Amino acid sequence: MVAKISIGSSLYGALCYNGEKVNKENGRILGSNKIIIPVDGKADIGQMAENFRMFMPKMGKTKKPVLHISLNPHPDDRLSDQDFEILAREYLDKLGFGEQPYVIYKHEDIDRHHIHIVTVNVNEEGKRLNQDFLYRRSKKITTELEEKYNLHKAQREKISPDTPITKIDPTGDIKRQVANTVKMVGMRYKFQSMGEYNAILGLYNVRCDTADGRVNGREYHGLVYFATDDNGNTIATPLKASRLGKFASRTAIDGRFERAKEKIDVAPTKCKVADVLNQSSGKDDFVAKLKERNVDVVFRYTDEGRIYGVTFVDHDTMTALNGSRLGKDFSANALNARFSHQSQPTEQAPTAKVVPIPTPTNTTSESQSTSSAGTAPAPTQSQSANSNSGDYDFTLPGLDLFQPGQSFNPDEAEFRRRMQRKKKGIRRRF
């Protein structure tokens, strides 16, 4: 059985997380101590918070008085609700929290059922309970319970350099999967910005957002992680970095940004991308050929479909690089211009058959009136020749931009330029 202990400051947050599971029928309340549980089994989060505060001092020096504990038996251990409650109460007694107010929840949103306990580590006098060697004592207690109740020995999943990173499985333990993905990405890859970090996480259906604000008058700068589907839609409750571990915190990720600057070599990735770009016939071909070279490219688009960001994730060098880091030719603007141009039709598109009309007179006014009346201008000699050579008439794309308008006389234009120069000369003399 694995016990995970989180020490925090937000009692309401811990109660809300577990209460929502219960109220969405993804869990149930198994028991409590000194806390009133509604008869209907629903979680009245506000009332529970008030019950807790009755046993906590109004003023205290302990900044993090909340303990949020999860007990995770081995998947092969089939335990009843009564078994879970007995384990939880005995665990708390041995840990020294048996007389504290607490609530025991069972989570059923994944196949591996487990329990969560919310309690506080200060007594009614405001004195903090003994937390010395808390995690070491917890490990000893779980081992004793495994032996006493003949449970399987469950160990924390260890991550090795060979552990593959996989996409989030919506039917599995979301929190554990997100934590493992974040930990392995941080251990293996180099990145220098939040965009590059998210480009890697997004390959495995995880997203990270910054969270800035004020809590109790103090500035707060943190990270929030999301599990997503293949389309980027959130599929589970967001997870604060503090719930995953220190490795997921903003301090840890900012530190990775700084350390990566000295380790990254853009040359290998730039060589691959440049070679593939020269061979590609279009964006899809570009993406496919890079994939063959173990490089993923992540495009970011505006609502209008324009590329405004691009990141290359090189799995050989374990590096994520925004396009601009490779050079101007690989920036989002350059690739958008290139692929937008390549997406234009290369052949002349068939249009409605041009009906010849009598050639208008040479005056400008008559030409303009003909155009405004909605009739097509007379075809040129080359167009007429083409119209007789087949069943379709073709026009060059964009030809309709050249509408009859005011004529241009180069002699008159040169005369106007000379007059302007003379006027400037006169003004200088005076």
Side-chain angles (χ1 to χ4, degrees), residues 11-12 15-16 19 23 35-36 38 42-53 105:
L11 174 64
Y12 188 86
L15 293 174
C16 187
N23 293 337
I35 304 297
I36 300 173
K42 296 292 184 181
D44 189 335
I45 299 169
Q47 186 60 50
M48 285 184 178
E50 288 299 321
N51 289 165
F52 269 101
R53 292 190 181 98
Y105 303 86

Side-chain angles (χ1 to χ4, degrees), residues 181-194:
T181 298
V182 172
K183 180 178 289 186
M184 288 190 282
V185 166
M187 288 170 55
R188 299 176 186 177
Y189 287 87
K190 299 181 288 292
F191 41 85
Q192 302 177 70
S193 69
M194 191 59 65

